[in-house]
Amino acid sequence: MIHAEPKKYMGVGQVTLAQIAEWKQIDSQDMFGAIQTMPMQLQQGYELALGARQEIAELLGGSLPRAVVVCGMGGSGVAGDLVSAMLDLEIPVIPVKGYELPAWVNREDVVVCVSYSGNTSETIACFTEASDRSRVVAVISTGGKLSELAAAASVPTVQIPSGYQPRAACGILTGALCGVLESAEVVSSAADAIRGAVNGAARSVNDVIEVDDVSTCHAFELAKGLQGRCSLVYGTGITAPVAARWKAQLNENAKVPAFANEYPELNHNELVGWELAGTVGGPWGLIELLPSDCREGIERRVEVTGSLIENSVDWHRGVRAFNPSGGEPVASDYSRAHQVFELLVLGDYVSVLLAYLNQVDPTPVERIHLLKDKLGAL
Ligand code: PA5
């Protein structure tokens, strides 16, 4: 087997916007620019979903379901992971990533199907199953087969704009899901959370686009740290789904293996796995995403874990979310959503800058399309 020569390490010195512009030539569909639209997307998705408020409310007939199941895969499914971290929910919102609904789902529950293309077979299978034994209360999509099925079954569809990669439409998809949940009265209002998410996303966008020397921005420092290393991203509480998003973005944009885990669970297994880490692979790069304030037990776990694994990890950074309340511990959905989208957008930039450092185009996900082609309608 012939192995390609490793790409030359780039960008150790000053990295100006001109340098980034040159690297961006590799970015065929401007994934870098798409990140900048995230604040606008959140608001747009939310407003689009509120347009379907009456239809959704009518379907529910004034009763609160037992649970909401959000079906979606990959870049679309992430919205289902994020909403529980962002919103003060009245009932459980459970993400489902696969062909089947859990056995407990019945007509006491409602299902929301999210697929950017509308042609994802797993999500279509869940729609069909939910139509038989539960209630589909909304579809979020640009079109495709899923929208056709929804129209035939008189299920409200939040029609979102096409033209993005699904993962680059995370703001619209998440904003729309927040709007659907508000319309279903699963949250009294998602407006504060959307405002927080918009501001959090804008904070990370500004950190990148307002500097003349990109090597001074946090995202670039983190991308450089991960370059040439096997990436691990840890989160806890509201940052756990963000760590999973970082992992997926590093996979799809930077084309590298990456893994996510969360505190405190990782203390009960992965901590031990670090013992022989050096013998099975690496070098290892670890980023820990922390909320602006975590309970004392978590703070201590992060500290002690760091000291136990320091000899196994080759590069390690902790990233703490900004506290928008100016230092006071806050649990409001404004603050939580702010932190979630601030860290999420930072990760999006890290993954695209790492793609540039790796000299790969962030947009194409050829292997996903190849797999889908080979599977056909399966
Ligand atoms: O990023 C991607 O392109 C994928 O993760 C897709 O989101 C995933 O394959 C599901 O497709 P869709 O979002 O169209 O339902």
Side-chain angles (χ1 to χ4, degrees):
M1 183 187 281
I2 300 169
H3 292 280
E5 277 294 302
K7 300 262 168 60
K8 198 167 153 279
Y9 185 79
M10 296 173 66
V12 278
Q14 195 194 48
V15 182
T16 60
L17 288 178
Q19 172 75 76
I20 286 285
E22 194 185 304
W23 291 355
K24 278 173 71 177
Q25 286 170 11
I26 207 173
D27 186 354
S28 64
Q29 290 170 57
D30 196 15
M31 188 61 87
F32 190 88
I35 304 172
Q36 206 173 323
T37 66
M38 204 67 87
M40 174 280 289
Q41 285 189 32
L42 283 153
Q43 189 66 38
Q44 187 185 14
Y46 179 54
E47 284 169 11
L48 285 170
L50 291 186
R53 182 197 285 268
Q54 201 175 333
E55 273 180 281
I56 293 172
E58 274 167 20
L59 260 185
L60 279 165
S63 64
L64 195 62
R66 180 176 61 170
V68 180
V69 176
V70 179
C71 304
M73 306 301 297
S76 294
V78 72
D81 300 329
L82 294 173
V83 288
S84 295
M86 295 168 63
L87 299 171
D88 280 327
L89 298 165
E90 305 273 342
I91 54 171
V93 174
I94 316 284
V96 165
K97 294 165 192 245
Y99 286 98
E100 286 159 18
L101 299 175
W104 54 263
V105 175
N106 64 26
R107 296 192 65 75
E108 287 180 61
D109 312 298
V110 295
V111 173
V112 180
C113 292
V114 188
S115 168
Y116 189 78
S117 64
N119 289 321
T120 298
S121 51
E122 297 95 317
T123 315
I124 291 170
C126 284
F127 179 97
T128 307
E129 193 183 340
S131 308
D132 287 344
R133 67 178 168 98
S134 183
R135 294 173 290 166
V136 186
V137 79
V139 156
I140 300 170
S141 185
T142 57
K145 174 111 190 284
L146 191 61
S147 298
E148 285 170 22
L149 290 171
S154 303
V155 169
T157 298
V158 180
Q159 167 97 37
I160 54 171
S162 55
Y164 292 95
Q165 287 295 311
R167 62 192 182 282
C170 180
I172 298 186
L173 294 163
T174 307
L177 184 56
C178 288
V180 165
L181 295 175
E182 180 180 316
S183 303
E185 296 182 10
V186 170
V187 57
S188 57
S189 167
D192 273 358
I194 293 294
R195 204 164 45 86
V198 167
N199 290 340
R203 191 168 199 271
S204 286
V205 167
N206 292 339
D207 276 354
V208 171
I209 65 167
E210 283 179 356
V211 292
D212 292 331
D213 171 4
V214 178
S215 64
T216 60
C217 83
H218 196 192
F220 189 75
E221 192 233 324
L222 297 175
K224 252 185 5 178
L226 292 180
Q227 194 192 17
R229 300 195 164 102
C230 183
S231 306
L232 297 161
V233 191
Y234 289 173
T236 184
I238 61 169
T239 66
V242 186
R245 162 75 176 186
W246 275 56
K247 172 242 181 301
Q249 292 291 80
L250 290 165
N251 294 151
E252 292 187 62
N253 290 340
K255 293 15 177 198
V256 290
F259 304 91
N261 208 335
E262 62 185 275
Y263 285 103
E265 173 62 17
L266 72 90
N267 279 164
H268 301 271
N269 34 64
E270 189 157 320
L271 175 62
V272 187
W274 279 106
E275 279 182 32
L276 296 185
T279 68
V280 294
W284 305 96
L286 169 64
I287 293 183
E288 294 182 298
L289 303 175
L290 300 174
S292 67
D293 48 87
C294 344
R295 58 185 299 149
E296 208 185 327
I298 297 289
E299 294 286 356
R300 187 74 185 125
R301 281 175 186 277
V302 173
E303 202 182 298
V304 176
T305 303
S307 68
L308 291 172
I309 66 175
E310 66 185 350
N311 292 332
S312 312
V313 185
D314 302 277
W315 178 87
H316 179 189
R317 286 288 179 283
V319 180
R320 173 89 57 178
F322 172 71
N323 183 342
S325 78
E328 293 299 307
V330 275
S332 73
D333 49 2
Y334 175 87
S335 166
R336 293 207 311 269
H338 189 290
Q339 294 180 46
V340 164
F341 264 86
E342 181 205 351
L343 294 179
L344 184 144
V345 168
L346 173 65
D348 283 7
Y349 276 120
V350 171
S351 67
V352 171
L353 291 169
L354 183 57
Y356 294 171
L357 289 168
N358 288 344
Q359 293 185 274
V360 290
D361 185 347
T363 297
V365 281
E366 279 161 23
R367 290 187 178 192
I368 295 179
H369 294 300
L370 198 61
L371 180 93
K372 287 182 178 180
D373 284 350
K374 283 182 186 286
L375 288 172
L378 289 177

Coordinates of all heavy atoms in Angstrom, one line a residue, residues 258-326:
A258 N -11.8 11.9 15.3 CA -11.9 12.7 16.5 C -12.9 12.0 17.4 O -13.8 11.3 16.9 CB -12.4 14.1 16.1
F259 N -12.8 12.2 18.7 CA -13.7 11.5 19.6 C -14.1 12.4 20.7 O -13.4 13.3 21.1 CB -12.9 10.3 20.2 CG -12.4 9.4 19.1 CD1 -11.1 9.6 18.6 CD2 -13.2 8.4 18.6 CE1 -10.6 8.8 17.6 CE2 -12.7 7.6 17.6 CZ -11.5 7.8 17.1
A260 N -15.4 12.2 21.2 CA -15.9 13.1 22.2 C -16.3 12.3 23.4 O -16.7 11.1 23.3 CB -17.1 13.9 21.7
N261 N -16.2 12.9 24.6 CA -16.7 12.2 25.8 C -17.1 13.3 26.8 O -17.0 14.5 26.5 CB -15.6 11.3 26.4 CG -16.2 10.1 27.1 OD1 -17.3 10.1 27.6 ND2 -15.4 9.0 27.2
E262 N -17.7 12.8 27.9 CA -18.1 13.9 28.9 C -17.9 13.5 30.3 O -17.8 12.3 30.7 CB -19.6 14.1 28.7 CG -20.5 12.9 28.9 CD -22.0 13.2 28.6 OE1 -22.7 13.7 29.5 OE2 -22.4 12.9 27.5
Y263 N -17.7 14.5 31.1 CA -17.6 14.4 32.6 C -19.0 14.3 33.1 O -19.8 15.0 32.6 CB -16.9 15.6 33.2 CG -15.4 15.7 33.0 CD1 -14.8 16.5 32.0 CD2 -14.5 14.9 33.8 CE1 -13.5 16.6 31.9 CE2 -13.2 15.0 33.6 CZ -12.6 15.8 32.7 OH -11.3 15.9 32.5
P264 N -19.3 13.5 34.2 CA -18.3 12.7 34.9 C -18.1 11.3 34.4 O -17.3 10.6 34.9 CB -18.9 12.7 36.3 CG -20.4 12.8 36.1 CD -20.6 13.7 34.9
E265 N -18.9 10.9 33.4 CA -18.9 9.5 32.9 C -17.5 9.1 32.5 O -17.1 8.0 32.9 CB -19.9 9.4 31.7 CG -19.8 8.0 31.0 CD -20.2 6.8 31.9 OE1 -20.8 7.0 32.9 OE2 -19.8 5.7 31.5
L266 N -16.7 9.9 31.9 CA -15.4 9.5 31.4 C -14.5 9.1 32.6 O -13.5 8.4 32.4 CB -14.7 10.5 30.5 CG -14.3 11.8 31.1 CD1 -12.8 11.8 31.6 CD2 -14.4 13.0 30.1
N267 N -14.8 9.6 33.8 CA -14.0 9.3 34.9 C -14.2 7.8 35.4 O -13.4 7.3 36.2 CB -14.3 10.1 36.1 CG -13.7 11.5 36.1 OD1 -14.1 12.4 36.8 ND2 -12.7 11.6 35.3
H268 N -15.2 7.2 34.8 CA -15.5 5.8 35.2 C -15.0 4.8 34.2 O -15.4 3.6 34.3 CB -17.0 5.7 35.5 CG -17.4 6.6 36.5 ND1 -17.4 6.3 37.9 CD2 -17.8 7.9 36.5 CE1 -17.8 7.3 38.6 NE2 -18.1 8.3 37.8
N269 N -14.3 5.2 33.2 CA -13.8 4.3 32.2 C -12.6 4.9 31.4 O -11.5 4.4 31.5 CB -14.9 3.8 31.2 CG -15.9 5.0 31.0 OD1 -15.6 6.0 30.4 ND2 -17.2 4.8 31.4
E270 N -12.8 5.9 30.6 CA -11.8 6.5 29.7 C -10.5 6.9 30.5 O -9.4 6.8 29.9 CB -12.4 7.6 28.9 CG -11.4 8.1 27.8 CD -12.2 8.8 26.7 OE1 -13.3 8.4 26.3 OE2 -11.6 9.8 26.2
L271 N -10.7 7.3 31.7 CA -9.5 7.7 32.5 C -8.5 6.6 32.6 O -7.3 6.8 32.5 CB -10.1 8.1 33.9 CG -9.0 8.4 35.0 CD1 -8.2 9.7 34.5 CD2 -9.7 8.7 36.3
V272 N -9.0 5.4 32.7 CA -8.1 4.2 32.8 C -7.4 3.9 31.5 O -6.2 3.6 31.4 CB -8.8 3.0 33.3 CG1 -7.9 1.8 33.6 CG2 -9.7 3.3 34.5
G273 N -8.2 4.2 30.4 CA -7.7 3.9 29.0 C -6.5 4.8 28.7 O -5.7 4.4 27.8
W274 N -6.3 5.9 29.3 CA -5.2 6.7 29.1 C -3.9 6.1 29.5 O -2.8 6.5 29.0 CB -5.3 8.1 29.8 CG -6.2 9.1 29.1 CD1 -7.5 9.4 29.5 CD2 -5.9 9.8 28.0 NE1 -8.0 10.4 28.6 CE2 -7.0 10.6 27.7 CE3 -4.8 9.9 27.1 CZ2 -7.0 11.5 26.6 CZ3 -4.8 10.8 26.0 CH2 -5.9 11.6 25.8
E275 N -3.9 5.1 30.4 CA -2.7 4.5 30.9 C -1.8 4.0 29.8 O -0.6 4.2 29.8 CB -3.0 3.3 31.8 CG -3.4 3.8 33.2 CD -3.7 2.6 34.2 OE1 -3.1 1.6 34.0 OE2 -4.5 2.8 35.1
L276 N -2.4 3.3 28.7 CA -1.6 2.8 27.7 C -1.7 3.5 26.4 O -1.5 3.0 25.3 CB -1.9 1.3 27.4 CG -1.5 0.4 28.6 CD1 -1.8 -1.1 28.2 CD2 -0.1 0.5 29.1
A277 N -2.2 4.8 26.5 CA -2.5 5.6 25.3 C -1.4 5.6 24.3 O -1.5 5.5 23.1 CB -3.0 7.0 25.7
G278 N -0.2 5.8 24.9 CA 1.0 6.0 24.0 C 1.4 4.8 23.2 O 2.1 4.8 22.2
T279 N 0.9 3.6 23.7 CA 1.3 2.4 23.0 C 0.3 2.0 21.8 O 0.7 1.2 21.0 CB 1.3 1.2 24.0 OG1 -0.1 0.9 24.3 CG2 2.1 1.4 25.2
V280 N -0.8 2.7 21.8 CA -1.8 2.3 20.7 C -2.0 3.4 19.7 O -2.6 3.2 18.7 CB -3.2 2.0 21.3 CG1 -3.1 0.7 22.1 CG2 -3.8 3.1 22.1
G281 N -1.4 4.6 19.9 CA -1.7 5.6 18.8 C -1.2 7.0 19.3 O -0.3 7.1 20.2
G282 N -1.9 8.0 18.8 CA -1.5 9.3 19.2 C -0.6 9.9 18.1 O -0.4 9.3 17.1
P283 N 0.0 11.0 18.3 CA -0.1 11.9 19.5 C -1.5 12.4 19.7 O -2.3 12.5 18.8 CB 0.9 13.0 19.2 CG 1.0 13.1 17.7 CD 0.9 11.7 17.2
W284 N -1.8 12.6 21.0 CA -3.2 13.0 21.4 C -3.3 14.4 21.7 O -2.5 15.0 22.4 CB -3.5 12.2 22.6 CG -3.4 10.7 22.5 CD1 -2.3 10.0 22.9 CD2 -4.3 9.8 21.9 NE1 -2.5 8.6 22.6 CE2 -3.7 8.5 22.0 CE3 -5.6 9.9 21.4 CZ2 -4.4 7.3 21.6 CZ3 -6.2 8.8 20.9 CH2 -5.6 7.5 21.0
G285 N -4.3 15.0 21.1 CA -4.7 16.4 21.5 C -6.0 16.5 22.1 O -7.0 15.9 21.6
L286 N -6.1 17.1 23.3 CA -7.3 17.1 24.1 C -7.8 18.5 24.3 O -7.1 19.4 24.8 CB -7.1 16.4 25.4 CG -8.2 16.5 26.5 CD1 -9.5 15.8 26.0 CD2 -7.8 15.9 27.8
I287 N -9.1 18.8 24.0 CA -9.7 20.1 24.3 C -10.9 19.8 25.3 O -11.7 18.9 25.0 CB -10.2 20.8 23.1 CG1 -9.0 21.2 22.2 CG2 -11.0 22.0 23.4 CD1 -9.3 22.0 21.0
E288 N -10.9 20.5 26.4 CA -12.0 20.4 27.3 C -12.9 21.6 27.3 O -12.4 22.7 27.4 CB -11.5 20.1 28.7 CG -10.8 18.8 28.8 CD -10.2 18.5 30.2 OE1 -9.4 19.3 30.7 OE2 -10.7 17.5 30.8
L289 N -14.2 21.4 27.0 CA -15.1 22.5 26.9 C -15.9 22.6 28.2 O -16.6 21.7 28.5 CB -16.1 22.3 25.7 CG -15.4 22.1 24.3 CD1 -16.5 21.7 23.3 CD2 -14.7 23.3 23.9
L290 N -15.8 23.7 28.9 CA -16.4 23.8 30.2 C -17.4 25.0 30.2 O -17.2 26.0 29.7 CB -15.3 24.1 31.3 CG -14.3 23.0 31.4 CD1 -13.2 23.3 32.3 CD2 -14.9 21.6 31.8
P291 N -18.5 24.7 30.9 CA -19.5 25.8 31.0 C -18.9 26.9 31.9 O -17.9 26.7 32.6 CB -20.7 25.2 31.8 CG -20.5 23.7 31.7 CD -19.0 23.5 31.5
S292 N -19.5 28.1 31.9 CA -18.9 29.2 32.7 C -18.8 28.9 34.1 O -17.9 29.3 34.8 CB -19.7 30.5 32.4 OG -21.0 30.4 33.0
D293 N -19.8 28.2 34.6 CA -19.7 27.7 36.0 C -20.2 26.2 36.1 O -21.3 25.9 35.6 CB -20.4 28.6 37.0 CG -21.8 28.9 36.6 OD1 -22.7 28.1 36.8 OD2 -22.0 29.9 35.9
C294 N -19.4 25.4 36.6 CA -19.9 24.0 36.8 C -19.9 23.7 38.3 O -19.2 24.4 39.1 CB -19.0 22.9 36.2 SG -17.8 23.3 35.0
R295 N -20.6 22.7 38.8 CA -20.6 22.4 40.2 C -19.2 22.0 40.6 O -18.3 21.5 39.8 CB -21.6 21.3 40.5 CG -21.4 20.0 39.7 CD -22.4 19.0 40.0 NE -22.6 18.6 41.4 CZ -23.7 18.3 42.0 NH1 -24.8 18.2 41.3 NH2 -23.7 18.0 43.2
E296 N -19.0 22.2 41.9 CA -17.6 22.0 42.5 C -17.1 20.6 42.2 O -15.9 20.4 41.8 CB -17.7 22.2 44.0 CG -16.5 22.7 44.7 CD -16.7 22.7 46.2 OE1 -17.8 22.9 46.6 OE2 -15.7 22.4 46.9
G297 N -17.9 19.6 42.2 CA -17.5 18.2 42.0 C -16.9 18.1 40.6 O -15.9 17.3 40.4
I298 N -17.5 18.8 39.6 CA -17.0 18.7 38.2 C -15.7 19.4 38.1 O -14.7 18.9 37.5 CB -18.1 19.2 37.2 CG1 -19.4 18.4 37.3 CG2 -17.5 19.3 35.8 CD1 -19.3 17.0 36.7
E299 N -15.6 20.6 38.7 CA -14.3 21.4 38.6 C -13.2 20.5 39.2 O -12.1 20.4 38.6 CB -14.4 22.6 39.5 CG -15.4 23.7 39.0 CD -15.0 24.4 37.8 OE1 -13.9 24.2 37.3 OE2 -15.8 25.2 37.3
R300 N -13.4 19.8 40.3 CA -12.4 19.0 40.9 C -12.0 17.8 40.0 O -10.9 17.5 39.9 CB -12.9 18.6 42.3 CG -11.9 17.9 43.1 CD -10.8 18.9 43.7 NE -9.8 18.1 44.4 CZ -8.5 18.2 44.2 NH1 -8.0 19.0 43.3 NH2 -7.7 17.4 44.9
R301 N -13.1 17.2 39.4 CA -12.8 16.1 38.5 C -11.9 16.5 37.4 O -11.0 15.8 37.0 CB -14.1 15.6 38.0 CG -14.9 14.7 38.9 CD -16.3 14.3 38.4 NE -17.0 13.6 39.4 CZ -16.9 12.3 39.6 NH1 -16.1 11.6 38.9 NH2 -17.6 11.7 40.6
V302 N -12.2 17.7 36.8 CA -11.4 18.1 35.6 C -10.0 18.3 36.1 O -9.0 17.9 35.4 CB -12.0 19.4 35.1 CG1 -11.1 20.0 34.0 CG2 -13.4 19.2 34.5
E303 N -9.8 18.9 37.3 CA -8.5 19.2 37.8 C -7.7 17.9 38.0 O -6.6 17.7 37.6 CB -8.7 20.0 39.1 CG -7.5 20.8 39.6 CD -8.0 21.4 40.9 OE1 -9.0 22.1 41.0 OE2 -7.4 21.1 41.9
V304 N -8.3 17.0 38.7 CA -7.6 15.7 39.1 C -7.4 14.9 37.9 O -6.3 14.3 37.7 CB -8.4 14.9 40.2 CG1 -7.8 13.6 40.5 CG2 -8.6 15.8 41.4
T305 N -8.4 14.8 37.0 CA -8.2 14.1 35.7 C -7.0 14.6 35.0 O -6.1 13.8 34.5 CB -9.4 14.1 34.8 OG1 -10.5 13.6 35.6 CG2 -9.3 13.3 33.6
G306 N -6.9 15.9 34.9 CA -5.8 16.6 34.2 C -4.4 16.1 34.7 O -3.5 15.8 34.0
S307 N -4.4 16.1 36.0 CA -3.1 15.7 36.6 C -2.8 14.2 36.4 O -1.6 13.8 36.2 CB -3.0 16.0 38.1 OG -4.0 15.2 38.8
L308 N -3.8 13.4 36.3 CA -3.6 11.9 36.1 C -3.2 11.6 34.7 O -2.5 10.6 34.5 CB -4.9 11.2 36.5 CG -5.2 11.1 38.0 CD1 -6.5 10.5 38.3 CD2 -4.1 10.4 38.8
I309 N -3.7 12.4 33.7 CA -3.4 12.0 32.3 C -2.3 12.9 31.7 O -2.0 12.7 30.5 CB -4.7 12.1 31.5 CG1 -5.3 13.5 31.3 CG2 -5.8 11.1 32.1 CD1 -6.5 13.6 30.4
E310 N -1.8 13.8 32.4 CA -0.9 14.8 31.8 C 0.3 14.2 31.0 O 0.8 14.7 30.0 CB -0.4 15.9 32.8 CG 0.5 15.4 33.9 CD 0.8 16.5 34.9 OE1 0.5 17.7 34.6 OE2 1.4 16.2 35.9
N311 N 0.8 13.0 31.5 CA 1.9 12.4 30.8 C 1.5 11.6 29.6 O 2.3 11.2 28.8 CB 2.7 11.5 31.8 CG 3.3 12.2 32.9 OD1 3.7 13.4 32.7 ND2 3.5 11.6 34.1
S312 N 0.2 11.4 29.4 CA -0.3 10.7 28.2 C -0.7 11.6 27.1 O -0.7 11.2 25.9 CB -1.4 9.8 28.6 OG -1.2 9.0 29.7
V313 N -1.1 12.8 27.5 CA -1.7 13.7 26.5 C -0.5 14.6 25.9 O 0.3 15.1 26.7 CB -2.8 14.6 27.1 CG1 -3.4 15.5 26.0 CG2 -3.8 13.8 27.8
D314 N -0.5 14.7 24.6 CA 0.6 15.5 24.0 C 0.3 17.0 24.0 O 1.2 17.8 24.0 CB 0.9 15.0 22.6 CG 1.2 13.5 22.7 OD1 2.4 13.2 23.0 OD2 0.3 12.7 22.5
W315 N -0.9 17.3 23.9 CA -1.3 18.8 23.9 C -2.7 18.9 24.5 O -3.6 18.1 24.2 CB -1.3 19.3 22.4 CG -1.7 20.7 22.3 CD1 -0.9 21.8 22.3 CD2 -3.0 21.2 22.0 NE1 -1.7 22.9 22.1 CE2 -3.0 22.6 21.9 CE3 -4.3 20.6 21.8 CZ2 -4.1 23.4 21.7 CZ3 -5.4 21.3 21.6 CH2 -5.3 22.7 21.5
H316 N -2.9 19.8 25.3 CA -4.2 19.9 26.1 C -4.6 21.3 26.4 O -3.7 22.1 26.8 CB -3.8 19.1 27.5 CG -5.0 19.1 28.4 ND1 -4.8 18.6 29.7 CD2 -6.3 19.4 28.3 CE1 -6.0 18.7 30.4 NE2 -6.9 19.1 29.5
R317 N -5.8 21.7 26.1 CA -6.3 23.0 26.5 C -7.7 22.9 27.0 O -8.5 22.1 26.6 CB -6.4 23.9 25.2 CG -5.1 24.4 24.6 CD -4.5 25.5 25.5 NE -3.2 25.9 24.9 CZ -2.1 25.2 24.9 NH1 -2.0 24.1 25.5 NH2 -1.0 25.7 24.3
G318 N -8.0 23.7 28.0 CA -9.3 23.9 28.6 C -9.9 25.2 28.0 O -9.2 26.2 27.8
V319 N -11.2 25.1 27.6 CA -11.9 26.3 27.0 C -13.1 26.5 27.9 O -14.0 25.7 27.9 CB -12.3 26.1 25.5 CG1 -13.0 27.3 25.0 CG2 -11.1 25.7 24.7
R320 N -13.1 27.7 28.5 CA -14.3 28.0 29.4 C -15.2 28.9 28.7 O -14.8 29.9 28.1 CB -13.7 28.6 30.6 CG -14.7 29.2 31.6 CD -15.1 28.2 32.7 NE -14.0 27.6 33.4 CZ -14.3 26.7 34.4 NH1 -15.5 26.4 34.7 NH2 -13.3 26.2 35.1
A321 N -16.5 28.6 28.7 CA -17.5 29.5 28.1 C -17.6 30.8 28.8 O -17.4 30.9 30.0 CB -18.9 28.9 28.0
F322 N -17.8 31.9 28.1 CA -18.0 33.2 28.7 C -19.3 33.2 29.5 O -20.3 32.6 29.1 CB -18.1 34.2 27.6 CG -18.4 35.6 28.0 CD1 -17.5 36.4 28.7 CD2 -19.7 36.2 27.6 CE1 -17.8 37.7 29.0 CE2 -20.0 37.4 28.0 CZ -19.1 38.2 28.7
N323 N -19.3 33.9 30.6 CA -20.5 34.1 31.4 C -21.2 35.4 31.1 O -20.7 36.5 31.5 CB -20.2 34.0 32.9 CG -21.5 34.1 33.8 OD1 -22.5 34.5 33.3 ND2 -21.3 33.7 35.0
P324 N -22.3 35.4 30.3 CA -22.8 36.7 29.8 C -23.5 37.5 31.0 O -23.8 38.6 30.8 CB -23.9 36.2 28.8 CG -24.2 34.8 29.2 CD -23.0 34.2 29.8
S325 N -23.6 36.9 32.2 CA -24.2 37.7 33.2 C -23.1 38.5 34.0 O -23.4 39.1 35.0 CB -24.9 36.8 34.2 OG -24.0 36.2 35.0
G326 N -21.8 38.4 33.5 CA -20.8 39.2 34.1 C -20.3 38.7 35.5 O -20.0 39.4 36.4

